[in-house]
Amino acid sequence: MSTDTVTAPANPRSRVILASLIGTTIEFYDFYVYATAAVLVFPILFFPTGNDTTALLASFGVFGAAMIARPIGAMVFGHFGDRYGRKATLVASLLTMGIATFLIGLLPTFQQINWWAALLLLILRLAQGFALGGEWSGAALVATENAPEGKRAWYGSFPQLGAPLGFIIANGLFLIINALLPHASDPSLKSEAFLSWGWRVPFLFSAVMVIIGLWVRLKLVESETFKRAEDKGTIRKLPLATVFRHHWKHLILGTFVMLATYVLFYLMTNFTLSFGTKPASVEVAAAAAQKAAEAKGAAFDQAAFAAQFYPGQGFGYTDFVVMQIIGVVFFGVFTLVSGPWADRIGRRKLLIWTTVAIILFGFTFPLFLGQHAGEPFAVVLTQSFLILGFLLMGITFGPMGALLPELFPTNVRYTGSAVAYNVSSILGAAVAPLIAVWLWQTAGGSSWLVGLYLSAMAVLTLIALILIPETKDHAYEDDLGVSAGS
């Protein structure tokens, strides 16, 4: 470290941790609120195609569309973050996400304005993705650029902790609302109150969380690392062009380093919720679908329904989400644990071994998910699957808050890490739910092809990890980047 490094922290440790944690918690909360609604209500309220599979795929398609917007948000917010500072950019990304999420809670449905409802949902979903594209990298930089020497991965794990916390808050709120607004005769169906206004509450509640997040972030002071880059004249007019010109290799490798993490995460959240709660027999599914059709006064073709049916595990929604939340607790614990591990043994070594474990985990899908609800070991096996999957997710996700920013110098760190992180979201998260549903259907209701898909993506991540350098001892504070005249 150079002798002119300012030793007094620009921001107290508690402020750094809280500002990086609360922002990503809110952002991920907003994202998971949509993800849960995409399974529970949006196929019914915004995509009533008459075919359950088509409606679910349409809902997941809009979910995935946000991933397309994320790299655009990464470029825009990254540009301003690298040119004008981290603080103002983080405030802007939080406001954008909060407003978009709040407005989703006010949207009219298909029954009210026809397909205009789906279009408005898509627009607001794109705004969510655009905002999240700038949020993660800025939060990671607030944490790591203010971290004490030798503790960057630990500090970088706090913005990562926002993912499990946001999941627990979002799904916990949906559970409470679902319990308060049960269906009068069949707990497997959604009540009229839930479908008309209950699902809106988590979206509207985001406004409260955004106000708290803004209050914390407005108290931040710009990091000394960024100020030094300004003083040394290394700030670039076009950070994105600099990344593509000078750091394209690390950009590509960083993108593939994140790939298995994204695929694993969205399989453990979206896919498992669909797979776990879908009826295990066509008779049960047909009975529920017929009740829903009769409630709407629509005709029901049992033969056509049976022809396109493929089974899941048949757990109740509440039971399965509780199991997911138990798994996510392990996600949070191992996200924090992975930070000190990565500081001690190195990011690359830890992630290589974790990725090998993810490859092997993919082969276990049919073993853990092969039983239907009510069979002797179904709960034990499914819960074990969720714990193991989320545990691996924590270990692979935690070090990313340090690793991706460490691949780039200060003057393009926001842009480079944001673009790598969010382009990976297209390759992983955007298509993972769609591919998983297709593979699930192709395998006739089995999960084995979905597991192979995860293993294949993890192999690509393993190759990228082998090719990148270890960044644990990277001179983070001194790597300010080339000056504008270079």
Side-chain angles (χ1 to χ4, degrees):
M1 188 179 296
S2 64
T3 57
D4 62 342
T5 300
V6 178
T7 56
N11 297 287
R13 180 173 68 178
S14 59
R15 187 184 300 168
V16 170
I17 291 174
L18 186 58
S20 59
L21 173 60
I22 195 169
T24 52
T25 298
I26 294 167
E27 299 277 6
F28 280 107
Y29 165 85
D30 290 349
F31 227 58
Y32 299 148
V33 162
Y34 183 95
T36 302
V39 175
L40 290 182
V41 296
F42 287 168
I44 301 169
L45 298 180
F46 290 89
F47 307 101
T49 62
N51 181 303
D52 286 350
T53 302
T54 304
L56 183 62
L57 286 172
S59 182
F60 279 163
V62 174
F63 177 84
M67 308 303 173
I68 307 298
R70 284 176 63 167
I72 301 173
M75 295 175 193
V76 173
F77 286 112
H79 174 84
F80 288 103
D82 281 328
R83 284 216 64 190
Y84 303 109
R86 319 320 194 190
K87 176 182 172 178
T89 308
L90 277 172
V91 170
S93 70
L94 185 60
L95 270 175
T96 304
M97 174 66 95
I99 292 171
T101 305
F102 184 81
L103 290 177
I104 289 176
L106 299 177
L107 279 181
T109 63
F110 177 88
Q111 288 75 17
Q112 295 168 305
I113 60 171
N114 212 303
W115 290 109
W116 287 104
L119 177 61
L120 291 174
L121 181 64
L122 173 61
I123 292 170
L124 292 176
R125 181 62 182 157
L126 290 171
Q128 279 191 318
F130 180 79
L132 191 57
E135 164 62 29
W136 175 85
S137 183
L141 296 195
V142 165
T144 57
E145 288 186 345
N146 288 281
E149 187 173 357
K151 293 185 177 181
R152 275 203 308 262
W154 181 50
Y155 269 58
S157 67
F158 282 99
Q160 308 300 78
L161 189 60
L165 287 179
F167 181 93
I168 291 172
I169 297 170
N171 283 279
L173 190 53
F174 263 112
L175 278 179
I176 292 170
I177 295 168
N178 194 52
L180 293 175
L181 302 173
H183 192 274
S185 59
D186 189 344
S188 67
L189 298 177
K190 302 295 175 291
S191 68
E192 286 299 319
F194 185 88
L195 291 175
S196 64
W197 62 268
W199 68 271
R200 300 178 184 274
V201 174
F203 289 91
L204 301 177
F205 177 70
S206 68
V208 177
M209 300 179 69
V210 167
I211 291 171
I212 296 171
L214 287 174
W215 177 75
V216 173
R217 284 193 168 172
L218 287 171
K219 289 179 171 290
L220 282 174
V221 178
E222 195 61 70
S223 74
E224 292 297 331
T225 303
F226 181 79
K227 289 179 180 178
R228 291 180 62 214
E230 284 187 312
D231 294 341
K232 297 291 184 181
T234 65
I235 301 301
R236 305 304 296 262
K237 289 184 178 180
L238 296 173
L240 183 63
T242 302
V243 169
F244 284 138
R245 181 179 178 184
H246 296 289
H247 309 285
W248 60 269
K249 182 179 179 181
H250 283 169
L251 185 67
I252 293 172
L253 291 175
T255 298
F256 280 94
V257 161
M258 272 298 302
L259 183 60
T261 304
Y262 267 122
V263 174
L264 175 62
F265 180 72
Y266 284 93
L267 291 185
M268 296 306 300
T269 53
N270 281 54
F271 168 73
T272 57
L273 182 60
S274 298
F275 187 84
T277 58
K278 186 165 184 180
S281 70
V282 66
E283 292 80 14
V284 173
Q290 187 168 6
K291 284 184 182 180
E294 289 172 353
K296 299 175 186 175
F300 178 71
D301 188 337
Q302 188 160 357
F305 180 87
Q308 56 87 34
F309 174 79
Y310 52 98
Q313 289 185 283
F315 285 101
Y317 166 73
T318 300
D319 293 338
F320 196 84
V321 171
V322 169
M323 288 195 289
Q324 277 192 318
I325 289 175
I326 291 171
V328 170
V329 170
F330 286 83
F331 178 14
V333 170
F334 280 87
T335 295
L336 282 181
V337 167
S338 67
W341 286 353
D343 279 327
R344 186 166 61 251
I345 69 173
R347 294 80 160 113
R348 183 172 173 270
K349 184 177 181 179
L350 177 61
L351 289 171
I352 283 175
W353 283 110
T354 305
T355 304
V356 170
I358 292 172
I359 293 170
L360 297 176
F361 177 65
F363 291 99
T364 70
F365 274 47
L367 171 65
F368 284 112
L369 302 178
Q371 288 196 325
H372 300 151
E375 293 184 335
F377 302 104
V379 172
V380 173
L381 287 171
T382 303
Q383 185 67 79
S384 299
F385 173 83
L386 292 170
I387 289 174
L388 181 56
F390 278 118
L391 182 155
L392 290 171
M393 181 65 208
I395 301 175
T396 189
F397 190 55
M400 294 296 177
L403 172 63
L404 291 184
E406 286 169 348
L407 292 174
F408 303 94
T410 299
N411 65 344
V412 295
R413 187 169 290 142
Y414 202 132
T415 300
S417 58
V419 171
Y421 182 85
N422 289 290
V423 169
S424 188
S425 76
I426 297 178
L427 302 179
V431 298
L434 299 173
I435 291 175
V437 170
W438 177 69
L439 293 173
W440 171 21
Q441 187 175 21
T442 300
S446 173
S447 61
W448 73 275
L449 285 177
V450 179
L452 287 183
Y453 165 57
L454 172 62
S455 296
M457 297 302 100
V459 168
L460 296 178
T461 288
L462 182 61
I463 294 170
L465 285 168
I466 291 171
L467 294 175
I468 66 168
E470 175 56 62
T471 59
K472 180 172 76 75
D473 298 318
H474 177 67
Y476 202 70
E477 296 83 356
D478 294 334
D479 188 10
L480 303 179
V482 295
S483 65
S486 300

